[in-house]
Amino acid sequence: KNQVEQSPQSLIILEGKNCTLQCNYTVSPFSNLRWYKQDTGRGPVSLTIMTFSENTKSNGRYTATLDADTKQSSLHITASQLSDSASYICVVPNAGGTSYGKLTFGQGTILTVHP
Amino acid sequence: KAGVTQTPRYLIKTRGQQVTLSCSPISGHRSVSWYQQTPGQGLQFLFEYFSETQRNKGNFPGRFSGRQFSNSRSEMNVSTLELGDSALYLCASSLAAGGLQETQYFGPGTRLLVL
């Protein structure tokens, strides 16, 4: 069964600190892995899309890593800001399909940044 | 360029009623997908439309239906509402037919409360 597991479920950090969110997946066949940020009451916004051949990808203070051998990904947030408070969702499409119906979503990690 | 818009943003209905939600994709985008998001189940795929054709459907009962118009705008309908249908309904658009490496752009969602 295709699954995406995220940890921790929630995380509280102080402004300016770094943090790392984890995503383990068992989706097969694998095409790519996406990280989304969802602010409360709003739709998800794409942060990164990582393909099989990419190990690291950065988007400003966000850095995603991918280990296709161990089927793990992490999202590292540097120098956190209050605006980073959100839910971070890991999403893996099943390459056995060609449409968005094959997306498997993680439950998300709720990050809270305190001043 | 305007983003994905969804109307209405908030809706309160009672059990047994039906509801229609609307989604206008980003100009030029031809693919529209719908998702249900609840605290317990997270994000779940409902349907995907491309060029007025339903390409894929998630594991939801027949009470959930949708359609896409020639201008790519999409609607979803839920008939005989149940309490468990209370959720945030998200619409996402992308340029083409759900290429696995395409970015989806989400709307703000419609929050439906069924009493």
Side-chain angles (χ1 to χ4, degrees), chain B residues 71-114:
Chain B
N71 61 359
S72 294
R73 190 178 69 86
S74 179
E75 288 182 346
M76 69 163 282
N77 183 275
V78 187
S79 61
T80 319
L81 284 166
E82 300 177 358
L83 295 179
D85 297 332
S86 295
L88 179 67
Y89 290 88
L90 291 161
C91 164
S93 77
S94 64
L95 271 172
L100 289 175
Q101 295 191 29
E102 264 192 58
T103 296
Q104 279 187 304
Y105 296 87
F106 284 83
T110 294
R111 186 163 296 282
L112 171 65
L113 177 62
V114 181

Side-chain angles (χ1 to χ4, degrees), chain A residues 32 34 38 43 98-100 103, chain B residues 35 37 48 56 98 100 102 107:
Chain A
N32 61 72
R34 307 155 183 234
Q38 185 175 22
T98 57
S99 70
Y100 288 110
L103 290 178
Chain B
Y35 300 89
Q37 187 175 33
E48 176 201 356
N56 215 328
L100 289 175
E102 264 192 58

Side-chain angles (χ1 to χ4, degrees), chain A residues 30-32 34 36 38 40-46 49-52 54 87 89 91 93-107, chain B residues 9-10 31 33 35 37-45 48 55-57 88 90 94 96-109 111:
Chain A
F30 176 79
S31 169
N32 61 72
R34 307 155 183 234
Y36 283 88
Q38 185 175 22
T40 302
R42 310 201 52 182
V45 174
S46 178
I49 298 178
M50 299 192 71
T51 60
F52 185 87
E54 294 174 306
S87 177
I89 304 170
V91 185
N94 178 347
T98 57
S99 70
Y100 288 110
K102 298 297 184 182
L103 290 178
T104 303
F105 294 90
Q107 288 289 347
Chain B
R9 292 293 311 278
Y10 304 93
S31 175
S33 298
Y35 300 89
Q37 187 175 33
T38 59
Q41 298 294 324
L43 272 161
Q44 292 183 288
F45 170 76
E48 176 201 356
R55 285 172 48 86
N56 215 328
K57 189 177 191 300
L88 179 67
L90 291 161
S94 64
L100 289 175
Q101 295 191 29
E102 264 192 58
T103 296
Q104 279 187 304
Y105 296 87
F106 284 83
R111 186 163 296 282

